[in-house]
Amino acid sequence: MRSIILVGGKGTRLRPLTYETPKQMLPLVGVAMIECVLSDLARHGVTDAVLALGYLPNRFIEAYPSNTIAGVGVTYAVEPEPLDTAGAIRFAAQFGGFDETFLVVNGDVVSDLDVSALVARHRDRAAEATIALHTVADPSGFGVVSTDEGGRVLAFVEKPAPGEAPSNQINAGYYVMEPSVLNAIPAGVRVNVEREVFPRLAETKTLFARADEAYWLDTGTPHAYLQANVDILKGRRSERHGAVVVDGSWRHPNATIDPSALIINSAVDADCVVGSGVVLENAVLLPRAVIQSDCEVRSSIIGPSAIIGPGSRLGPTCVVGAKEHVAAASHLSGDVRLGGV
Ligand code: GDD
Ligand code: MG
């Protein structure tokens, strides 16, 4: 089945990391998120995908000039300006010449959802669109969905106000769609699939859903991005995308790590330097990050080529941008973001 991967968002919740790198090009334990997403899909039989690009499209195109990512054949549909989720789906479908049932995936979701069962549900109900649902404790940051016993969607509420979520079942960002859905999306303008298209399809009773409680995570916040890394390190995923994890952590072979450093549930990427007496716990170090001696870095993301001065204590939850320099003996905690455009 042909598929569209939405990867054109600005990744605002992961700034400053996403000023230079689109969210889906950030690594999960050393492998770009888009590769993880496509290899998850490949395991469910997806063989070709149109990447719906808008923000920093060249970062994808230059990284994969052979038009193959994780064994999946890809083409690149670059929006002239951001068209939002439904506008992007229409644009990419037109670009790809889609004229049969197709799959759409939010490119910042890593999951083991059963795509084949989702397609089967879609065909069985003769739906116009069918969405995968996943249960979460706090649905307020997602699209929240209620269904009848047959899986027909009764209500779809995007990011409901506190206390107004109709259920704990959220839109998992995996959709099977008929080409007829595209006809109702005006061309060349911003249209949001969650606020405009799905509520309308629910009203016409042609929107269905399938609950799936397999592993699922939207990586779009610092907390979730750290979680996605730790879940791979701890073997909570069926797939490690090739990373060699030793004692719960991954160290890129090119990283220089002092033997006295204590590294717990952390990912240390290429060409990083970790000094003596350093403690890393639930930390992600992006390529070339330098942690000088006697630092403690917990539940924090250190951007590419950032330098953390000696004796600093970071986290939880600090996000240090590319090439930032944190002064010696800094103590930072809370939702700290360092680094600008
Ligand atoms: N091409 C393109 N153009 N892609 C876009 C655009 C755009 O204008 N805007 C957003 N995207 C992409 C993002 O890159 C991301 O992969 C996907 O669309 C969803 O956008 P997010 O910004 O990550 O949305 P969200 O996480 O707040 O909410 C969405 O995902 C939740 C599940 O992960 C919604 O679909 C919710 O309903 C859902 O519960
Ligand atoms: Mg998201």
Side-chain angles (χ1 to χ4, degrees), residues 74 111 191 231 257 302 315 319 328:
V74 295
S111 88
V191 186
D231 286 345
I257 301 174
I302 312 301
V319 184

Side-chain angles (χ1 to χ4, degrees), residues 39 68 126 128 253 300:
S39 84
T68 305
E128 242 193 310
S300 292

